[in-house]
Amino acid sequence: MFHPVVSRPRTASTLAASLAILVVTSGCGGHNHLSEYDFESHSLALVYIAPPRPMLLTGWYDVAANDPVTAVVAAGSGVAKEVSGRRARARLDSATALVDVAGLMSRRTLDRTSRYLAAHPTANPRGADFVLEVNVHNSGIDVRGRNAAYLFMSATAVLLDSRTGREIWSFDVDGRNRLTPFLYGENDRVPTGAITAAVLSTVSVADFQRALEQLADFSSNAITDRLREALD
């Protein structure tokens, strides 16, 4: 059984800027007892608590959907908007079936966290010496702007000592980042190369798929960069 020792864990180098626009704030009550533990060669697992209703914010009618990272893009008063909304919803549903956002985020987060702590990653939380619990409160894609789309997420990350249940480190993370352009000139009505509500009807399944993959990377980076910073 693992016992904590008063020893500074091996730390990562100085945090480099990772995302172009990222606002991260800490909530009250965060813990940082990292210096009291030696993580090297001990096992680390990740428990991911997915948000129940991630969203696509369009400015038309923003509600959460029952399946991951989908949302109803609902009608305005006109038939054209109603038809556009239904078709966009169908394409987003198709993209969601192709992208395991929770799986991508969990694997990337566990890999980076284990590397920073010099711990051994494991898929079994019950047998791990440490558990990183990631509770994502909300996440999604905001396309309400006129010129760009943004990824957003809010989560609480807690690193636990499995033997005692003690919270070693915890942090509330809120992030927002401009979505990397991913439309490649297929449509002249998208001059900025970004999804916006005004051109949502032109966005393909492949476009939504790339956006969801970026959302998984962004969410993982927002959490692991805060841990890396705490170690430093």
Side-chain angles (χ1 to χ4, degrees):
M1 186 65 68
F2 169 74
H3 297 281
V5 297
V6 182
S7 174
R8 179 81 178 172
R10 192 170 63 190
T11 63
S13 59
T14 303
L15 175 63
S18 59
L19 297 172
I21 302 174
L22 174 62
V23 179
V24 181
T25 58
S26 60
C28 297
H31 298 81
N32 189 346
H33 304 292
L34 293 167
S35 63
E36 301 176 28
Y37 288 80
D38 181 4
F39 300 95
E40 187 169 3
S41 300
H42 294 287
S43 56
L44 172 70
L46 184 143
V47 174
Y48 179 85
I49 304 173
R53 290 178 174 86
M55 295 179 291
L56 172 68
L57 304 181
T58 68
W60 291 344
Y61 183 53
D62 299 324
V63 296
N66 291 326
D67 46 345
V69 200
T70 61
V72 175
V73 182
S77 58
V79 175
K81 281 188 176 180
E82 183 176 357
V83 172
S84 176
R86 287 201 303 264
R87 290 175 177 172
R89 164 69 187 276
R91 290 193 299 274
L92 189 53
D93 286 346
S94 297
T96 302
L98 299 173
V99 181
D100 181 7
V101 174
L104 287 173
M105 179 183 173
S106 296
R107 289 190 294 273
R108 181 183 176 95
T109 303
L110 180 59
D111 179 67
R112 290 189 68 189
T113 301
S114 299
R115 186 164 63 250
Y116 296 154
L117 296 176
H120 173 68
T122 177
N124 181 16
R126 293 183 179 275
D129 297 316
F130 301 100
V131 173
L132 178 63
E133 182 178 281
V134 177
N135 186 356
V136 179
H137 308 303
N138 60 69
S139 65
I141 307 168
D142 185 347
V143 298
R144 292 174 295 180
R146 297 184 61 183
N147 298 317
Y150 288 85
L151 304 174
F152 67 90
M153 65 84 67
S154 174
T156 298
V158 181
L159 180 63
L160 299 169
D161 182 337
S162 296
R163 183 179 64 86
T164 65
R166 184 191 189 193
E167 291 190 7
I168 301 170
W169 171 81
S170 64
F171 212 88
D172 292 329
V173 183
D174 293 286
R176 179 176 169 86
N177 189 61
R178 180 164 177 157
L179 187 62
T180 303
F182 49 81
L183 300 184
Y184 302 108
E186 299 149 355
N187 193 312
D188 293 337
R189 287 178 292 173
V190 194
T192 62
I195 292 178
T196 63
V199 298
L200 196 58
S201 63
T202 70
V203 178
S204 69
V205 171
D207 294 328
F208 275 127
Q209 183 179 351
R210 286 188 288 269
L212 297 182
E213 290 168 352
Q214 288 186 45
L215 177 62
D217 287 344
F218 163 70
S219 300
S220 176
N221 288 341
I223 293 168
T224 54
D225 285 349
R226 297 311 299 170
L227 176 63
R228 186 179 179 186
E229 199 172 59
L231 285 168
D232 285 341

